[in-house]
Amino acid sequence: MAISLAVHIILASLGMALPIMIFGAEVIGARTGDKNYTVLAKRLTIAFVVLFAVGTASGTIVAINIFLLWPNFMALVSHVAIIPVYMEVFAFFAETVFIGIYAYSWDKFKGKYSHALTCIPLIIGSALSATFITMLNAFMNTPAGFNIANYLSTGALTNVQPFAVFNTPSTWVEISHVLATSYFAGAFIIVGYFAIMLLRTKDEKLKRYFMKGLKIAFCIAIVATIAAVYTGIISIQNIYTTQPEKYAAIEGNLVPKTNAAEMIGGIPINGSFKYYIDIPNLQSILATGSANGSVPGLSSFPKSTWPPLFVHIMFDFMVGVGFAIGGFVMIIVLLAIIKRKPLENKYILMLLVAVSGLSVLLLEDGWAMAEIARQPWIIYNVMLVSSAANYSASIIPAGIAILLFYILIIPLTAVVLARIFRKRELGKELGK
Amino acid sequence: MNPLYLINYLVLSLFLTLFTVEVGIAALLLSPLKKYKAKMLQYLAPIWELEGTFAVFYLVNLAATYPNIINVLGSVYVFPALVAGLLLIARNAFLAYSEFTDTDKNKYSSIYAIVTLVIAFAISGIFGSAVSGIGVNISFSASGAASFSPNLISMFFNPFSIALFLGIALIGIGLCGIFFGIEEIKYSSVSMIIIALALLIFILFGGAHYVWNNLIGAVYYVAALVLLLVIVIILHLKKVSKAGVLGLLWFAVAVNLFGVLAYPSIFGGKVDITGYLNGSAISNAIVTITAVGGSVLAISIIYFVYISYVKNVRTAKDR
């Protein structure tokens, strides 16, 4: 399950960012008549179709995994919370129908922007797919839509409200952060690609082409970074309210406290944290708005419901690196405003390549932290992971098969894409 | 008949119809009939992703329709379903690779074809065992509760599933012969479909007698289907271009009829599927969303078919 998700979220993030990139490139190309942008849109479309092919199938694997590896979880979800998953399929259909139209009908439209308009349902479809799937995850964190007390005492599902899952206490906060971070990672992967190409290319005409691509991708990345930081802050405030054990674990709070310091660093050793720096009162201020605000601690909850303490390290990594990237992006923006042309600087391009890799790590870390910090619950305070799982012996060979498969197919996809683009000489397409 | 069952089976039949044609294409891609390859790949190019989406749609709809069957499916089909899912990634990947590369196109499209045939074999095994009960060990407790466990070898390697796979492949090749107007198999397309139907009816008699019994009772529907098939064959032999589309329609209706005949039993008639239906408030929401979403989807697909297959490329004069 984890392997499938880890691969799928990267492909899904690219699947969200690429249509925006492609749309932007085609519109600018149609508006300015600059062939670089039109070629950019066409070449990115090829990459998008190939990655979409692998990404959607990996999404199918994730769906099969959820249904078959977590049957008790899915049985409950199917009774009370399946509607967003069901609607996600229709959003996915919108993507597949319009990718078929967009990718294979370049020469079939009359108006200057008509073909580009067929990319809009792709953008909306991919965002809606992410939105609906995240609703299911939000349900896992803050379940709603049925009589939970009655279910826990009798096992019966009563008072089912099919659409309650659209608006649980964490739904829209989580959706906003998932969308922002997905666009963040997807945009920076594209930024990294163009940065690498600019560092490698000597030809001035090709450099201009890659620079145009980099600028579009970087604009998307700027907006996504700001959104990711803002939504990240409101997410942690939401977790403070809705999932106090998770909050306590990711902040490393072993006991509840007021005037709580923000613990930077800290390694859990024998049940306590060592090697950290405290910033006085900061945690209380960030969580409650007041230095005297109280924050929850793990000691208030049964030890059997504590998440693993290393989630604090994952949280610190995510926040620390996230803010560092945010700061770096702001520096580039400032340099661009004072006309220093930062994207033409070799060292900034190298750092952008590093940021591209880090953005993927952040995405994986964020999702892993969010899921691990909910342990031992698969549905918070309703169903344990151990109660939801499939213990059939045939899972083990299936899991090995999935791992081996991804080890083969992902590098192969990268190699094939590289070969496709090597054969399609960029210089010829640009009319060099 | 329960509307949830009908919706669920309709989605499955749409997927099976599209996939059967793809199985035919896959088999023909591996045959010596190379001159039709470009035409078949051109048909597949805009549509293959949509087809995979119908498979996902079916899976999600299955969970929404029969929530209590997830446990059963989890214990019985987890391994073959995951393997089929992995092969789906390979199918998508190699078809996508073959679209955009020139030098390795044949290699990638051949790998795609082989993978597609293996997926068809896996689906035949899963579908066959769900219909016939072969490969699924079912035991009932004193209270009537059923428990299930798989026998993977017999699930896939039994006469029913193998014959089902051969039947699907033959129908697929036959339909492709009609749809793409393949001259070299003009007459053998028809005989393949007839042989496949005979084979499928034979295995239903032997392996899923409950469906066979219902088939006898639905003689008017069967007669209508036979008549439709005869019309398709006549149009095909007269080289009328719409024969292919009508052939697909015939097959979609035939697959639907099968679902109606099998209702409400699965696993060789031993289990009543209505016991697993979703009885919560979710079921009304599912019907409503399917109606609304399905309508929007239908309009989108009509637009898609128009743009992809009907609208002409703009000439330099038009621009």
Side-chain angles (χ1 to χ4, degrees), chain B residues 273-289:
Chain B
I273 203 165
T274 56
Y276 296 90
L277 280 169
N278 195 335
S280 73
I282 291 278
S283 55
N284 292 332
I286 292 290
V287 174
T288 307
I289 291 167

Side-chain angles (χ1 to χ4, degrees), chain A residues 219-300:
Chain A
C219 287
I220 301 169
I222 292 169
V223 174
T225 303
I226 295 167
V229 170
Y230 173 70
T231 56
I233 293 168
I234 60 173
S235 290
I236 190 67
Q237 289 171 342
N238 181 266
I239 291 172
Y240 165 84
T241 314
T242 59
Q243 293 177 270
E245 291 119 304
K246 182 187 253 188
Y247 176 89
I250 63 179
E251 288 284 7
N253 295 342
L254 295 174
V255 294
K257 42 194 159 180
T258 55
N259 299 97
E262 185 67 42
M263 180 168 69
I264 309 293
I267 299 170
I269 297 173
N270 295 329
S272 65
F273 285 94
K274 297 189 187 336
Y275 313 115
Y276 59 86
I277 302 167
D278 267 344
I279 302 177
N281 297 320
L282 183 59
Q283 192 191 145
S284 286
I285 293 169
L286 289 173
T288 69
S290 161
N292 299 321
S294 64
V295 296
L298 287 170
S299 62
S300 305

Side-chain angles (χ1 to χ4, degrees), chain A residues 56 86 104 107-109, chain B residues 49 61 99 290 307 311 314:
Chain A
T56 54
Y86 199 63
Y104 302 106
D107 294 323
K108 291 192 177 183
F109 291 87
Chain B
E49 196 62 79
N61 183 270
E99 266 185 68
T290 307
I307 294 292
K311 194 174 188 340
R314 289 172 55 227

Side-chain angles (χ1 to χ4, degrees), chain B residues 132-166:
Chain B
S132 67
I134 301 172
V136 183
N137 304 318
I138 307 172
S139 55
F140 293 92
S141 67
S143 61
S147 63
F148 305 83
S149 62
N151 181 331
L152 290 177
I153 303 293
S154 68
M155 186 184 290
F156 290 96
F157 299 100
N158 66 82
F160 190 95
S161 296
I162 292 172
L164 183 62
F165 168 68
L166 288 172

Side-chain angles (χ1 to χ4, degrees), chain B residues 232-282:
Chain B
V232 169
I233 292 169
I234 292 170
L235 291 178
H236 165 62
L237 294 174
K238 286 185 181 298
K239 294 189 184 180
V240 174
S241 62
K242 298 294 176 240
V245 176
L246 201 59
L248 290 185
L249 180 66
W250 164 79
F251 187 66
V253 173
V255 174
N256 258 298
L257 176 65
F258 180 84
V260 170
L261 294 176
Y263 180 82
S265 304
I266 54 168
F267 294 138
K270 291 179 196 158
V271 174
D272 185 337
I273 203 165
T274 56
Y276 296 90
L277 280 169
N278 195 335
S280 73
I282 291 278

Side-chain angles (χ1 to χ4, degrees), chain A residues 96-329:
Chain A
T96 54
V97 166
F98 281 91
I99 197 176
I101 293 171
Y102 185 85
Y104 302 106
S105 63
W106 282 90
D107 294 323
K108 291 192 177 183
F109 291 87
K110 282 186 185 158
K112 211 159 99 167
Y113 301 105
S114 302
H115 177 258
L117 289 176
T118 63
C119 196
I120 292 178
L122 265 177
I123 296 169
I124 296 171
S126 62
L128 281 176
S129 284
T131 298
F132 289 131
I133 280 299
T134 305
M135 282 181 182
L136 178 63
N137 192 264
F139 169 81
M140 294 161 72
N141 292 322
T142 50
F146 64 111
N147 189 325
I148 294 175
N150 191 41
Y151 174 74
L152 289 173
S153 57
T154 68
L157 290 164
T158 54
N159 195 23
V160 173
Q161 294 149 61
F163 295 97
V165 70
F166 281 71
N167 196 26
T168 74
S170 66
T171 299
W172 292 101
V173 170
E174 191 172 331
I175 287 170
S176 64
H177 193 54
V178 166
L179 288 178
T181 52
S182 298
Y183 286 124
F184 166 86
F188 269 113
I189 293 171
I190 304 168
V191 162
Y193 165 74
F194 285 117
I196 289 171
M197 298 313 289
L198 277 165
L199 287 166
R200 285 170 58 172
T201 304
K202 304 275 184 263
D203 184 290
E204 285 308 314
K205 188 160 185 172
L206 297 184
K207 272 183 179 264
R208 278 198 295 278
Y209 166 84
F210 290 123
M211 183 55 73
K212 284 170 179 167
L214 177 63
K215 283 179 178 171
I216 298 176
F218 194 69
C219 287
I220 301 169
I222 292 169
V223 174
T225 303
I226 295 167
V229 170
Y230 173 70
T231 56
I233 293 168
I234 60 173
S235 290
I236 190 67
Q237 289 171 342
N238 181 266
I239 291 172
Y240 165 84
T241 314
T242 59
Q243 293 177 270
E245 291 119 304
K246 182 187 253 188
Y247 176 89
I250 63 179
E251 288 284 7
N253 295 342
L254 295 174
V255 294
K257 42 194 159 180
T258 55
N259 299 97
E262 185 67 42
M263 180 168 69
I264 309 293
I267 299 170
I269 297 173
N270 295 329
S272 65
F273 285 94
K274 297 189 187 336
Y275 313 115
Y276 59 86
I277 302 167
D278 267 344
I279 302 177
N281 297 320
L282 183 59
Q283 192 191 145
S284 286
I285 293 169
L286 289 173
T288 69
S290 161
N292 299 321
S294 64
V295 296
L298 287 170
S299 62
S300 305
F301 306 95
K303 205 157 183 190
S304 59
T305 67
W306 289 15
L309 295 181
F310 63 75
V311 294
H312 172 70
I313 302 172
M314 299 174 84
F315 177 68
D316 272 1
F317 177 80
M318 182 184 72
V319 173
V321 175
F323 270 101
I325 292 176
F328 176 58
V329 166

Side-chain angles (χ1 to χ4, degrees), chain A residues 67-118:
Chain A
F67 291 151
L68 300 183
L69 300 186
W70 307 99
N72 294 327
F73 165 73
M74 271 318 296
L76 174 60
V77 166
S78 299
H79 276 109
V80 305
I82 195 110
I83 297 297
V85 181
Y86 199 63
M87 291 178 73
E88 191 270 339
V89 176
F90 290 100
F92 185 37
F93 264 122
E95 289 184 79
T96 54
V97 166
F98 281 91
I99 197 176
I101 293 171
Y102 185 85
Y104 302 106
S105 63
W106 282 90
D107 294 323
K108 291 192 177 183
F109 291 87
K110 282 186 185 158
K112 211 159 99 167
Y113 301 105
S114 302
H115 177 258
L117 289 176
T118 63

Side-chain angles (χ1 to χ4, degrees), chain B:
Chain B
M1 185 171 292
N2 191 290
L4 288 180
Y5 175 88
L6 273 176
I7 292 171
N8 181 253
Y9 199 78
L10 178 65
V11 175
L12 177 63
S13 65
L14 287 171
F15 167 69
L16 284 177
T17 304
L18 290 171
F19 188 64
T20 299
V21 173
E22 189 176 334
V23 170
I25 291 174
L28 287 168
L29 284 176
L30 296 171
S31 75
L33 294 168
K34 299 292 179 208
K35 70 176 185 184
Y36 296 94
K37 193 171 172 178
K39 196 175 175 182
M40 290 190 288
L41 289 174
Q42 199 179 14
Y43 157 81
L44 261 186
I47 209 171
W48 58 267
E49 196 62 79
L50 193 66
E51 201 180 298
T53 311
F54 271 106
V56 176
F57 187 16
Y58 175 68
L59 203 64
V60 176
N61 183 270
L62 190 72
T65 305
Y66 307 105
N68 298 326
I69 215 167
I70 300 297
N71 275 320
V72 174
L73 298 180
S75 58
V76 174
Y77 295 124
V78 57
F79 184 73
L82 281 172
V83 170
L86 289 177
L87 290 173
L88 184 68
I89 300 179
R91 167 242 187 206
N92 285 11
F94 284 100
L95 189 53
Y97 301 161
S98 74
E99 266 185 68
F100 299 110
T101 185
D102 293 317
T103 49
D104 298 317
K105 196 184 263 305
N106 286 337
K107 181 173 79 179
Y108 291 143
S109 59
S110 296
I111 296 173
Y112 148 78
I114 293 167
V115 169
T116 300
L117 290 172
V118 176
I119 293 173
F121 184 74
I123 290 175
S124 302
I126 293 171
F127 190 68
S129 88
V131 169
S132 67
I134 301 172
V136 183
N137 304 318
I138 307 172
S139 55
F140 293 92
S141 67
S143 61
S147 63
F148 305 83
S149 62
N151 181 331
L152 290 177
I153 303 293
S154 68
M155 186 184 290
F156 290 96
F157 299 100
N158 66 82
F160 190 95
S161 296
I162 292 172
L164 183 62
F165 168 68
L166 288 172
I168 288 172
L170 285 172
I171 290 178
I173 296 170
L175 283 176
C176 282
I178 297 172
F179 192 80
F180 295 108
I182 300 176
E183 265 308 304
E184 288 83 341
I185 57 170
K186 182 178 172 185
Y187 297 105
S188 49
S189 298
V190 175
S191 39
M192 277 189 231
I193 291 175
I194 293 169
I195 291 169
L197 287 174
L199 184 62
L200 292 172
I201 290 168
F202 178 71
I203 62 170
L204 278 179
F205 181 78
H209 212 75
Y210 66 103
V211 179
W212 170 257
N213 290 338
N214 291 340
L215 188 73
I216 302 298
V219 65
Y220 294 113
Y221 295 111
V222 175
L225 266 181
V226 170
L227 181 62
L228 185 57
L229 179 60
V230 167
I231 294 170
V232 169
I233 292 169
I234 292 170
L235 291 178
H236 165 62
L237 294 174
K238 286 185 181 298
K239 294 189 184 180
V240 174
S241 62
K242 298 294 176 240
V245 176
L246 201 59
L248 290 185
L249 180 66
W250 164 79
F251 187 66
V253 173
V255 174
N256 258 298
L257 176 65
F258 180 84
V260 170
L261 294 176
Y263 180 82
S265 304
I266 54 168
F267 294 138
K270 291 179 196 158
V271 174
D272 185 337
I273 203 165
T274 56
Y276 296 90
L277 280 169
N278 195 335
S280 73
I282 291 278
S283 55
N284 292 332
I286 292 290
V287 174
T288 307
I289 291 167
T290 307
V292 173
S295 305
V296 172
L297 175 62
I299 294 168
S300 305
I301 290 178
I302 290 168
Y303 180 64
F304 162 84
V305 169
Y306 168 69
I307 294 292
S308 300
Y309 300 110
V310 176
K311 194 174 188 340
N312 292 322
V313 172
R314 289 172 55 227
T315 61
K317 196 175 96 174
D318 295 329
R319 291 195 190 97

